[in-house]
Each structure stands twice: as C-alpha cells, then as structure tokens.
C-alpha cells in the first residue's frame, strides 16, 4: 500500500514538472508582415509595442520581416499578430479584415495574396 502511494506521488510530481512549459523572457521571433513604406513601419511597430511583453519590434521594409523580442511569460506571437492585423496588415497566417485593410492610406495598400 505504501509503495503504491509513493509511486503515485512520484508519478504526479514527474508529470506536473513536465507539464510546465519553460517560457523565455527574451524570445526572438521573426514574422512576415505585409506593408510598403515608412508609414507602414511606424504602424506595424506601434501595434506590436501595444502588446504587453513586447521588448523590441523592428520591421524591415526590404524583406517585410518584423523582428521581435518578447517576454513569453507575458505575451505570445499570436497576440502580436492579432494586434498587427487589427491595424490592417496581414501577418503570416493571419489576415486583416477587408474593413481594416481598406482603412490604410493609399500608399500602404500592399498587394494581398
């Protein structure tokens, strides 16, 4: 009886420690975000920084990549993507609504896929 209780306790401790995912406080991610110009850059970076836990956000016009450093204990990449699509820019697998896209300035309207 004591052995079965001990085994169950050890199993519980082992499973609970594996279930806790390690979150990185300085996780680096690169996200493809559509845009065209410096106005897009400002809008995309501002949207990224609006998410609590984003430490760095730098969008490059030439390769359309947003370089992020985030605290994964406070936010996720998906939350950053959702903030970006709300301002009208497609972010990898998430697409902005037509309504949000149509609010973009004329020079910011990129060719949608």
């Amino acid at each position: 009886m004591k052995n079965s209780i001990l085994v169950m306790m050890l199993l519980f401790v082992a499973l609970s420690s594996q279930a806790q995912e390690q979150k990185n406080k300085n996780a680096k991610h690169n996200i493809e975000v559509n845009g065209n110009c410096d106005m897009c850059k400002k809008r995309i970076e501002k949207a990224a920084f609006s998410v609590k836990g984003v430490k760095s956000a730098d969008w490059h016009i030439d390769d359309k990549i947003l370089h992020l450093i985030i605290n994964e204990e406070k936010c996720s990449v998906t939350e950053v993507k959702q903030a970006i699509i709300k301002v009208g820019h497609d972010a990898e697998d998430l697409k902005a609504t037509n309504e949000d896209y149509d609010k973009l300035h004329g020079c910011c309207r990129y060719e949608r896929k």
Side-chain angles (χ1 to χ4, degrees):
M1 181 73 169
K2 289 182 182 180
N3 287 340
S4 62
I5 292 174
L6 182 61
V7 169
M8 289 174 56
M9 288 176 60
L10 288 172
L11 182 62
F12 176 76
V13 170
L15 290 176
S16 65
S17 66
Q18 285 181 345
Q20 293 178 351
E21 185 179 323
Q22 293 289 359
K23 304 249 179 166
N24 189 344
K25 290 186 179 182
N26 290 305
K28 295 180 181 181
H29 297 278
N30 294 319
I31 303 171
E32 183 179 343
V33 179
N34 292 323
N36 292 328
C37 63
D38 283 328
M39 285 193 325
C40 295
K41 177 178 174 63
K42 289 177 186 175
R43 186 181 310 107
I44 291 166
E45 291 173 359
K46 183 177 179 179
F49 278 118
S50 73
V51 178
K52 184 178 180 181
V54 173
K55 294 182 172 187
S56 174
D58 185 25
W59 184 74
H60 294 228
I61 294 172
D62 56 343
D63 61 2
K64 313 286 190 245
I65 300 293
L66 176 64
H67 302 278
L68 287 173
I69 299 175
I70 64 171
N71 180 342
E72 291 179 328
E73 293 178 351
K74 295 183 178 182
C75 70
S76 68
V77 173
T78 302
E79 290 173 308
V80 176
K81 288 180 186 180
Q82 289 172 341
I84 291 168
I85 67 170
K86 285 181 184 175
V87 296
H89 294 273
D90 296 343
E92 289 182 347
D93 54 332
L94 298 179
K95 304 294 179 199
T97 63
N98 288 335
E99 183 179 283
D100 289 334
Y101 174 79
D102 290 340
K103 292 178 185 175
L104 293 175
H105 188 270
C107 72
C108 297
R109 292 193 183 151
Y110 51 90
E111 186 175 327
R112 297 186 92 180
K113 298 176 186 177

